[in-house]
Amino acid sequence: MKTKSFWAESRAVLVLAHGAGAPADSPFMEELAQALEVKGISTVRFEFPYMQKRREDGRKRPPDRQPRLLEYFSEVVDQVRRELNDDCLMLVGGKSMGGRMASVLASERSDLAGVVGFGYPFHPPGRLDKWRTDHFASLHCPMLVVQGTRDPFGKFEELDEFPETWSRVQIEWLEGGNHDFQPLARQQSSQSALIDDAARQARAFVDRLGQA
């Protein structure tokens, strides 16, 4: 994680978790963090214990069980909070699984300003009978999801009319993007452009939080 001096004067800090299969310094995470910081959102990236072990010995492992993921995420949040000014907005978020864990954490903790999920895994691909959204009704803060319209973990047509229990969840769509925000080849766009758009949506979300 970055040092205290980097965040000390920040107005908004996002503790950003990686997805299930790629580390905190994957090309996607690097580009996303850079785009967010250009938009004025400081990011703090970290790795869950299973990913730390993978980095040590090179062996791929499945994610830790949810209680361990949440425990570690919460520890990171506590550490970062101790280093921030009182008026700094503290958000949690992440890519795919990381965003899901951030939202579960925000349903358990009441001291967070917001959640941002980038490519949220609403359900496993092709499994519309296994939604991962029950905790949305218990969120203690607003949540933004930035989602590609053709993401197999939750497509536009599947989420067009989401339940009233998702009242604290705002979804913004990236046209043609997949789970990693890659657009269709025929589009006049690029992954970098969609990542930049995702960061812009996150900035607008943070601005709304600051006005609340």
Side-chain angles (χ1 to χ4, degrees), residues 13 20 30 50 56 59 67 117 141 151 164 179 184 186 190 207:
V13 169
E30 289 280 0
Y50 80 95
E56 291 169 2
R59 292 174 52 196
C141 61
D151 190 332
E164 291 182 2
H179 195 53
L184 291 165
R186 65 174 181 268
S190 65
D207 289 344

Side-chain angles (χ1 to χ4, degrees), residues 63-71 100-101 104 108:
D64 301 304
R65 297 180 67 85
Q66 180 167 307
R68 178 60 177 140
L69 295 174
L70 292 174
E71 176 187 36
R100 180 187 174 199
M101 290 303 103
V104 175
E108 298 180 352

Side-chain angles (χ1 to χ4, degrees), residues 16-24 29 46-48 50-51 94-99:
L16 188 65
H18 59 79
M29 292 290 286
F46 68 95
E47 290 183 342
F48 292 110
Y50 80 95
M51 190 61 72
K95 173 72 172 78
S96 193
M97 181 201 75

Side-chain angles (χ1 to χ4, degrees), residues 21-92:
D25 60 354
S26 69
F28 180 94
M29 292 290 286
E30 289 280 0
E31 189 162 359
L32 176 62
Q34 182 177 4
L36 288 166
E37 292 182 12
V38 167
K39 299 292 189 296
I41 301 174
S42 298
T43 60
V44 179
R45 283 177 283 163
F46 68 95
E47 290 183 342
F48 292 110
Y50 80 95
M51 190 61 72
Q52 296 174 24
K53 292 177 182 176
R54 170 175 151 176
R55 190 177 290 279
E56 291 169 2
D57 61 20
R59 292 174 52 196
K60 288 189 176 182
R61 294 174 169 81
D64 301 304
R65 297 180 67 85
Q66 180 167 307
R68 178 60 177 140
L69 295 174
L70 292 174
E71 176 187 36
Y72 194 81
F73 205 151
S74 192
E75 289 173 359
V76 173
V77 167
D78 288 339
Q79 178 184 342
V80 174
R81 183 177 292 283
R82 287 194 293 269
E83 301 178 359
L84 296 179
N85 292 330
D86 292 339
D87 58 350
C88 179
L89 290 176
M90 174 76 150
L91 296 90
V92 293

